[in-house]
Amino acid sequence: MIFHEIKVKYDRQTGEDNPGKVKETYLIDGAVSFADAENCLMEEIKPFIFGDCEVQNCKRSQFFETFTNPDGAFWYKARVEMITIDGEKETRKNVAVLIEANTLTDAAEALKQALNSYDCELISIAKTPIVDILHAVQ
């Protein structure tokens, strides 16, 4: 799955008459171009912008799979080594996986359950700055 990862910095209303600068990272799914991804993001955050808004970075990110959890508050990125055996030849390939969870422990457990049918090994897992995954309208 290929996403557009956008880092944006903008003034956001953080309390009663208290604007503050925030830096947020979003993933855009289904965008056909960087411009399409930026437009999707701007439509989503437009109601929260209070002043300046700057896209600081836009790049493509690839993930083997994403595992969502409606109760999850954070996104965790895991590096997983996938192992395939073709005859006598063993092949190992590192892939990135995203997991939505509340804690690192919850993310690791969810990943273990989701990938139990695969022959794989967890290399690393870490919390990401990703706020949300948005879906571009086609």
Side-chain angles (χ1 to χ4, degrees):
M1 303 172 77
I2 297 178
F3 296 90
H4 287 81
E5 181 178 331
I6 301 179
K7 294 182 182 182
V8 64
K9 179 179 179 180
Y10 63 100
D11 294 327
R12 181 181 184 135
Q13 194 70 26
T14 57
E16 291 183 30
D17 298 323
N18 185 20
K21 287 236 184 259
V22 294
K23 292 181 183 179
E24 296 178 333
T25 303
Y26 291 87
L27 289 182
I28 313 300
D29 183 25
V32 294
S33 67
F34 290 111
D36 187 31
E38 286 183 30
N39 287 338
C40 175
L41 175 61
M42 290 305 147
E43 285 299 315
E44 184 72 25
I45 66 172
K46 188 188 304 183
F48 307 110
I49 297 173
F50 186 80
D52 292 337
C53 179
E54 173 188 2
V55 172
Q56 294 192 312
N57 191 14
C58 188
K59 66 180 183 178
R60 291 192 178 166
S61 297
Q62 186 170 1
F63 296 96
F64 176 73
E65 188 65 72
T66 58
F67 301 104
T68 59
N69 175 358
D71 298 327
F74 305 104
W75 286 97
Y76 294 86
K77 179 179 179 180
R79 282 272 182 223
V80 178
E81 185 176 58
M82 305 298 284
I83 304 164
T84 56
I85 299 174
D86 185 18
E88 293 182 12
K89 184 179 177 185
E90 179 179 280
T91 306
R92 293 174 177 261
K93 180 180 178 184
N94 287 344
V95 297
V97 178
L98 272 180
I99 310 105
E100 189 176 21
N102 287 317
T103 65
L104 184 68
T105 306
D106 291 345
E109 185 59 36
L111 181 63
K112 182 180 174 184
Q113 289 177 7
L115 296 178
N116 69 357
S117 63
Y118 292 94
D119 191 8
C120 61
E121 191 174 311
L122 178 61
I123 304 297
S124 66
I125 189 167
K127 189 175 178 181
T128 70
I130 296 168
V131 174
D132 201 2
I133 297 178
L134 306 176
H135 302 281
V137 178
Q138 298 295 323

